[in-house]
Amino acid sequence: MGPVSPVFVGRQGETDRLRALARQAVAGHGVAVLVEGEPGIGKTSLLDRVATDCASLGMRLLTGVAEDLEQQLPFAAIANCLGIGAATTDPELARVSGLLRGEQAFTQTLAAVNHDFVITEAILDLFDEWFAQGPVAMLLDDAQWADPQSLVVTHRLGRGIDQQPMLLVVATRSAPRAGPVDALERSLVARGGQVIELAPLPPSEIDTLAHDLLDADAGPRLRRLLSTAGGNPMYVTELLAELADEGALGDRDGRTELVWDTDELAGGWVPPPLAEVILHRLGSLPPGVRDALQTAAVFGRTVDLTELSRALGRPLAELADVAASAVEAGILADTGTRLEFRQPLIREALAARMPPSARAALHGRAARTLETGGAEVERIAEHLMAGDGTDDRTARWLIGVADTLTARAPDLAVDLLQRTLPTAPRPQAGTLRLQLIRALLWRGAHAEAEELARAAIAAGDDPAHDGALRWLLAQTCYRRGHLRESLEVIQDALDEGAGPAEDGSAAGESAERGLSEAERGCFHGFAAVCLFFLARFDEARMAAHRAVRAGETTGDQRCIGIGDFALAMTMAVDGELEQALAATDRALAVLTAGVQPDLQVDPYMLRGMCLLELDRLAEADQALSAAVAANRESGGAYLPIAHTLRARLLFLDGRWDDALVEIETGTELPDLLGSAVRLRGIADLIAVHRGATVDPPSGAGASYPHHFSRWARALSTESRQGPAAAFALLYPAWEKAHGLEPRRLVYRVCADLARFAVTAGDLERARALAREVDELVAQRPHPSLTATAKLCHGLADDDPDLLLAAAVDYHEAGWPLYEGNAYENAAEALARRDRPALARQALDRALELYGALEATADIARAEARLRAVGVRRGVRGPRKRPKHGWDALTETERRVAALVAGGLSNPDVAAQMFLSRRTVQSHVSSILAKLQLSSRVELAVRAAERTAVRAGG
């Protein structure tokens, strides 16, 4: 078999285009490119040429290939690009590498989707750090085989890529292909990505390719034969190699020509398909080389000589010689860091020659040999799944590695556990079943996990694992939203005397010895959380106290932590905010090892909420930033809620542009707890205050998903249909406030409700509302609540002094919109009392506050109300913030811009400003839009120029 050296011919237009895009990326204007084409058309060769160009431009070069055998391994393709493997020692990659290995996954993360989120964010953090250091090029080949998680990372990299110094090139086969790959293409193209479709090479370039391969021009008969290759360079290459091996080529007048005696083309002969050409040519390899390559092909595109040596029982030195011969023959390629098949079609053709039964036996043998060699568990599991069955040895091995395998490759773990469990011996079956339930729960297959757990408990033949099964079943019901069923399981567990292991894992205790006090505390704490979300607050308090007592008696800190957290939640909804805050701090103090994910608690978020409700906004901001960071590290389900609370805080303290950024960040996250409706409601409120309108819910029987949305619609209704209609729409939000959102958390609507009622002439409703707010103040006052009571009374009694006092209290609370409302109402009351000077002063203050918020609807309403009583604002109206330029930036945006211009990456900026990386990215996008720039590089240059001008001036 003659050697084949890949030759790159043609594609000058595509090469020039990619080279120009690489230079554009180096200048700070990144771009994503999809390269598409049929197998063998030259995608890999084009990427090799692009890699050379990127390296010459000084770009950090990341190259990788997706493998069809690794589609069940999360992040396999992106890890290939990053160069992360079992032996990774690069400190820059340490965190991502550890997460991919599943380190502490079960102690820090709730489920696979949450763990995937953590890994994705860590990878994006890494890229952001690299972007701050210089331009980056990532080239991913064979993306049609990429795992879903790698496609998500690639999609996320494509968002905002135009602001970063990055060239992202994704090569994939043309359709048909998997839906996620098509979705990735649509996503990248929608954000400015480009598509390069590799067409067949024209005849002139096929002639050039043949000349380069043969070191001579092709004769007419050979050229006619090559024209049947459809312009596919790999087909041409393999066909020429096959013809040379067959002795069908010879020299004719200085040209290479077909030397067969008859004209096969004239006789109707057509070359076989490419795969057959490759197979026929590989058949001429020496048997020892062919067998080794065939085994390697079965194992995947990357060739691991150590693995091959163990599987075949052949010396490593012998296989190294095989590899050298294969590289020389053009079958394998040495990338400098690994050996791999030069073309996927070559590997596929080799693997296809082995009968299925032989392939299965080979995989089984490989798994057995790799078990003793310290190979990665997911690699062994791949071989077992492709092998010829499982046995007792498989069961014993799987019991020891199931947790690690589940964290790294949950789909693969579930498949292998399901395959192994039916034939496992009884002593092992119980443990495997427990591990399967946990793997299903981790993967998010809650219904399957519940069915299996209930069947195991009902069978009653596994007392050693009964407690752990009940704990997992309670978790499963909770995650499905079946809180009552979860409570039933918990009560059954307490009655039966079985419980979870004391270390918090699902490994069970023997039912025969009954529950320990600490185990009872765990179940009582879990019950308290379920009862709270069922709005059974008194029962939740009792269960929480039982958990705390159990923890104090036994010294179990987890029991104390979950009990105090549940107590804090019940205190918060009852308005005992100071006590709730103290209980939350106690929970955080005892949970020193971190909040275990199966405890279903987030004291960080609850602490921020308590501080927010106490009007301690600066402390709340810091606490909620900590909640965002903690949930981001663990992929916590409470992350969208933390963003929702921050958006609410930013709305109250007047940083509305920052609130919109927080809303954008929160709505992009997995929303397991229904935060999206709250976020959209806050966005609607800001939009209405800034002059937009909000449509009512559409569809038969449609209702408002949250009182924020109802509130926004009511404000729109006021200007269209009058205050009476607005009151009628908004009042149910106050009248029916209960449960998890009681009046103490909903009283913010009362300022608008009172104005609607008074403007509509319904003073009795306004006075009743004021009395209801008084009841809340009497229980536990704080500045904003006291201010709201004064405002409601001031409106109902037309008392300007009370309204001015409310404005002072709102100022103390840090609520500028409400302060403006109070001044607006006071101005109208003062005008009616014939105090025009003071009325004008109050109006000017209200307009100043509204102007800072860009609350144009409030400005228009205030001016109209005061005109009606003969008061107009002073000569100078509120100064509007410009839409573009440095003066258009908010205070937060100016700080972000300064840090970015100073060379800090998004994660560094996030750390300094107590924001999430996503929030910083959104701020950067807003900054570039307002400054009419298109990249971070331009921002740094513009900032430096501005600094120089200001210093010189």
Side-chain angles (χ1 to χ4, degrees):
M1 176 177 175
V4 175
S5 299
V7 173
F8 186 79
V9 167
R11 309 294 186 202
Q12 192 60 50
E14 293 91 340
T15 302
D16 290 344
R17 183 175 168 188
L18 286 165
R19 187 177 292 124
L21 292 175
R23 291 197 184 99
Q24 175 183 314
V26 170
H29 303 282
V31 67
V33 183
L34 289 102
V35 178
E36 301 179 344
E38 66 182 28
I41 201 66
K43 300 183 295 295
T44 300
S45 297
L46 182 60
L47 260 60
D48 289 343
R49 178 60 60 89
V50 174
T52 301
D53 291 339
C54 290
S56 68
L57 291 171
M59 304 181 78
R60 181 189 292 266
L61 185 61
L62 309 170
T63 62
V65 180
E67 295 204 32
D68 56 341
L69 299 181
E70 293 184 343
Q71 293 181 72
Q72 279 193 306
L73 298 184
F75 302 97
I78 202 74
N80 195 320
C81 291
L82 297 177
I84 294 177
T88 301
T89 58
D90 188 337
E92 277 193 314
L93 302 175
R95 180 164 186 266
V96 174
S97 180
L99 289 169
L100 289 174
R101 289 196 299 271
E103 293 176 359
Q104 299 183 317
F106 286 112
T107 60
Q108 293 184 354
T109 312
L110 186 66
V113 63
N114 307 87
H115 191 55
D116 288 351
F117 172 82
V118 173
I119 295 173
T120 298
E121 291 294 302
I123 292 172
L124 295 174
D125 280 351
L126 184 62
F127 273 93
D128 277 337
E129 295 288 355
W130 286 340
F131 294 151
Q133 298 168 17
V136 178
M138 190 179 93
L139 316 179
L140 174 62
D141 201 1
D142 286 331
Q144 72 275 0
W145 288 324
D147 58 277
Q149 291 83 358
S150 292
L151 293 175
V152 169
V153 172
T154 307
H155 156 75
R156 292 284 304 281
L157 285 170
R159 297 176 54 185
I161 193 173
D162 56 324
Q163 304 169 9
Q164 304 288 8
M166 182 182 193
L167 177 66
L168 173 63
V169 183
V170 178
T172 176
R173 290 182 182 178
S174 301
R177 60 191 176 209
V181 180
D182 286 333
L184 173 65
E185 176 175 339
R186 290 193 298 271
S187 166
L188 295 179
V189 170
R191 290 172 171 80
Q194 302 186 23
V195 178
I196 295 178
E197 180 74 37
L198 294 188
L201 291 178
S204 61
E205 291 180 354
I206 291 294
D207 291 343
T208 302
L209 175 61
H211 180 276
D212 290 348
L213 289 168
L214 300 169
D215 201 23
D217 289 336
R221 291 182 62 204
L222 180 57
R223 289 181 63 201
R224 197 158 65 250
L225 176 62
L226 296 180
S227 69
T228 66
N232 187 301
M234 184 182 178
Y235 196 173
V236 170
T237 301
E238 294 296 330
L239 185 58
L240 287 174
E242 170 70 4
L243 293 171
D245 288 344
E246 293 293 326
L249 301 179
D251 184 279
R252 292 291 185 270
D253 300 325
R255 297 180 177 182
T256 301
E257 185 60 278
L258 283 173
V259 294
W260 283 330
D261 292 336
T262 59
D263 189 342
E264 283 77 7
L265 288 179
W269 183 83
V270 177
L274 178 55
E276 291 183 25
V277 173
I278 294 172
L279 276 175
H280 190 269
R281 192 166 73 85
L282 294 175
S284 63
L285 288 167
V289 174
R290 185 177 62 249
D291 292 345
L293 290 177
Q294 198 166 34
T295 301
V298 170
F299 290 173
R301 181 167 181 176
T302 300
V303 179
D304 185 332
L305 293 182
T306 301
E307 179 181 83
L308 205 57
S309 173
R310 290 174 181 161
L312 294 175
R314 292 171 62 177
L316 191 60
E318 178 184 325
L319 291 175
D321 291 339
V322 169
S325 300
V327 170
E328 182 181 355
I331 299 172
L332 298 183
D334 187 347
T335 67
T337 59
R338 61 183 181 271
L339 286 169
E340 60 183 33
F341 282 93
R342 180 171 59 85
Q343 288 286 351
L345 281 176
I346 296 177
R347 187 195 69 77
E348 293 168 21
L350 274 167
R353 294 190 59 172
M354 186 175 290
S357 59
R359 284 202 300 270
L362 183 60
H363 279 295
R365 179 180 175 185
R368 289 189 292 273
T369 57
L370 292 176
E371 283 178 25
T372 60
E376 295 181 350
V377 293
E378 57 268 38
R379 184 62 172 167
I380 298 171
E382 282 180 319
H383 284 300
L384 287 170
M385 281 303 299
D388 49 3
T390 58
D391 52 21
D392 292 0
R393 177 176 175 174
T394 304
R396 290 192 300 272
W397 173 82
L398 191 51
I399 286 172
V401 303
D403 284 353
T404 301
L405 181 61
T406 298
R408 294 188 189 182
D411 290 344
L412 187 59
V414 167
D415 290 347
L416 187 55
L417 284 163
Q418 288 176 331
R419 181 174 182 179
T420 305
L421 180 59
T423 59
R426 182 166 181 175
Q428 298 170 346
T431 302
L432 288 172
R433 180 171 52 195
L434 190 70
Q435 291 171 325
L436 175 56
I437 294 169
R438 189 186 305 170
L440 288 166
L441 192 58
W442 176 261
R443 191 175 70 170
H446 299 146
E448 292 178 70
E450 180 177 348
E451 181 181 359
L452 186 58
R454 287 192 184 279
I457 292 170
D461 57 359
D462 189 13
H465 295 108
D466 188 78
L469 287 168
R470 293 178 190 275
W471 181 259
L472 286 178
L473 179 56
Q475 290 284 321
T476 301
C477 294
Y478 182 92
R479 297 187 199 184
R480 297 189 72 189
H482 300 166
L483 301 187
R484 290 180 177 82
E485 289 87 341
S486 186
L487 279 172
E488 291 173 3
V489 173
I490 291 169
Q491 190 58 53
D492 287 344
L494 290 167
D495 292 343
E496 293 290 333
E502 294 189 19
D503 64 358
S505 69
E509 302 287 341
S510 171
E512 297 173 356
R513 70 166 181 80
L515 281 173
S516 71
E517 188 65 16
E519 291 165 345
R520 297 184 71 82
C522 283
F523 274 111
H524 284 306
F526 194 2
V529 174
C530 295
L531 288 163
F532 171 81
F533 285 115
L534 288 169
R536 292 159 60 178
F537 301 130
D538 291 341
E539 295 173 80
R541 281 206 187 206
M542 288 189 291
H545 279 301
R546 292 190 191 104
V548 172
R549 285 197 299 269
E552 290 173 344
T553 300
T554 63
D556 189 290
Q557 301 298 295
R558 291 185 338 114
C559 291
I560 297 172
I562 191 173
D564 274 331
F565 173 79
L567 277 175
M569 291 195 297
T570 61
M571 291 170 177
V573 296
D574 285 342
E576 303 168 26
L577 296 172
E578 295 284 2
Q579 297 91 325
L581 185 61
T584 301
D585 288 341
R586 288 197 305 271
L588 284 169
V590 299
L591 294 171
T592 53
V595 179
Q596 299 294 310
D598 63 351
L599 295 183
Q600 311 292 348
V601 301
D602 183 8
Y604 306 101
M605 179 272 298
L606 182 58
R607 186 173 194 277
M609 189 198 77
C610 291
L611 290 165
L612 173 60
E613 297 305 323
L614 287 167
D615 295 330
R616 293 159 61 176
L617 300 189
E619 294 174 78
D621 203 356
Q622 290 186 349
L624 291 172
S625 295
V628 168
N631 277 279
R632 186 170 175 268
E633 286 294 310
S634 65
Y638 291 96
L639 182 56
I641 295 181
H643 281 295
T644 302
L645 289 171
R646 281 207 86 238
R648 187 184 299 183
L649 182 154
L650 294 166
F651 171 75
L652 290 174
D653 76 4
R655 291 178 285 168
W656 288 3
D657 287 346
D658 293 349
L660 292 173
V661 170
E662 204 73 31
I663 291 165
E664 179 184 350
T665 303
T667 52
E668 293 173 349
L669 299 170
D671 184 26
L672 304 178
L673 300 175
S675 296
V677 295
R678 294 170 173 81
L679 289 164
R680 286 194 293 269
I682 298 171
D684 287 345
L685 278 172
I686 293 173
V688 168
H689 280 290
R690 287 181 165 175
T693 58
V694 177
D695 294 325
S698 59
S703 61
Y704 290 94
H706 191 266
H707 79 263
F708 288 161
S709 300
R710 179 184 290 274
W711 189 3
R713 176 62 185 167
L715 289 169
S716 278
T717 299
E718 179 187 20
S719 61
R720 292 179 172 184
Q721 302 175 34
F727 184 92
L729 180 58
L730 183 56
Y731 187 68
W734 172 254
E735 182 183 33
K736 299 177 181 179
H738 70 286
L740 299 180
E741 293 199 0
R743 286 186 169 183
R744 181 163 286 276
L745 301 181
V746 180
Y747 72 92
R748 296 178 180 89
V749 304
C750 291
D752 287 323
L753 268 178
R755 187 184 75 251
F756 294 157
V758 170
T759 308
D762 194 344
L763 296 182
E764 282 306 312
R765 280 287 187 98
R767 292 188 179 106
L769 182 66
R771 289 193 295 270
E772 290 167 349
V773 177
D774 282 343
E775 293 174 7
L776 297 178
V777 174
Q779 296 170 14
R780 290 165 195 91
H782 51 87
S784 64
L785 184 57
T786 302
T788 301
K790 290 177 181 177
L791 183 141
C792 290
H793 279 292
L795 280 167
D797 298 335
D798 198 27
D799 185 338
D801 293 330
L802 265 181
L803 292 167
L804 290 171
V808 172
D809 287 345
Y810 279 131
H811 181 78
E812 181 186 347
W815 292 18
L817 174 66
Y818 289 80
E819 183 184 353
N821 287 169
Y823 278 119
E824 174 190 343
N825 293 317
E828 187 179 37
L830 286 164
R832 281 195 292 266
R833 299 289 180 91
D834 197 23
R835 298 160 70 182
L838 290 177
R840 184 173 293 106
Q841 289 179 15
L843 173 62
D844 286 347
R845 179 58 180 152
L847 296 178
E848 180 183 359
L849 289 163
Y850 293 155
L853 299 171
E854 299 181 43
T856 55
D858 297 88
I859 291 172
R861 182 191 63 239
E863 290 180 329
R865 288 177 70 188
L866 270 296
R867 276 197 305 271
V869 291
V871 176
R872 297 180 181 274
R873 68 184 181 188
V875 177
R876 287 190 62 188
R879 177 178 177 270
K880 293 183 178 180
R881 193 169 64 201
K883 298 297 183 184
H884 299 290
W886 290 97
D887 290 339
L889 303 185
T890 66
E891 179 60 32
T892 301
E893 288 170 345
R894 283 193 288 271
R895 291 178 61 197
V896 171
L899 293 172
V900 169
L904 270 66
S905 65
N906 284 356
D908 291 336
V909 175
Q912 285 206 21
M913 296 187 63
F914 301 102
L915 300 172
S916 73
R917 183 191 55 76
R918 284 181 180 229
T919 303
V920 171
Q921 182 174 327
S922 294
H923 277 305
V924 171
S925 297
S926 176
I927 291 165
L928 294 176
K930 289 179 179 179
L931 297 181
Q932 297 179 302
L933 304 175
S934 58
S935 75
R936 297 164 70 98
V937 174
E938 289 183 4
L939 173 59
V941 172
R942 183 70 61 84
E945 292 173 347
R946 184 168 184 263
T947 300
V949 169
R950 295 174 70 180

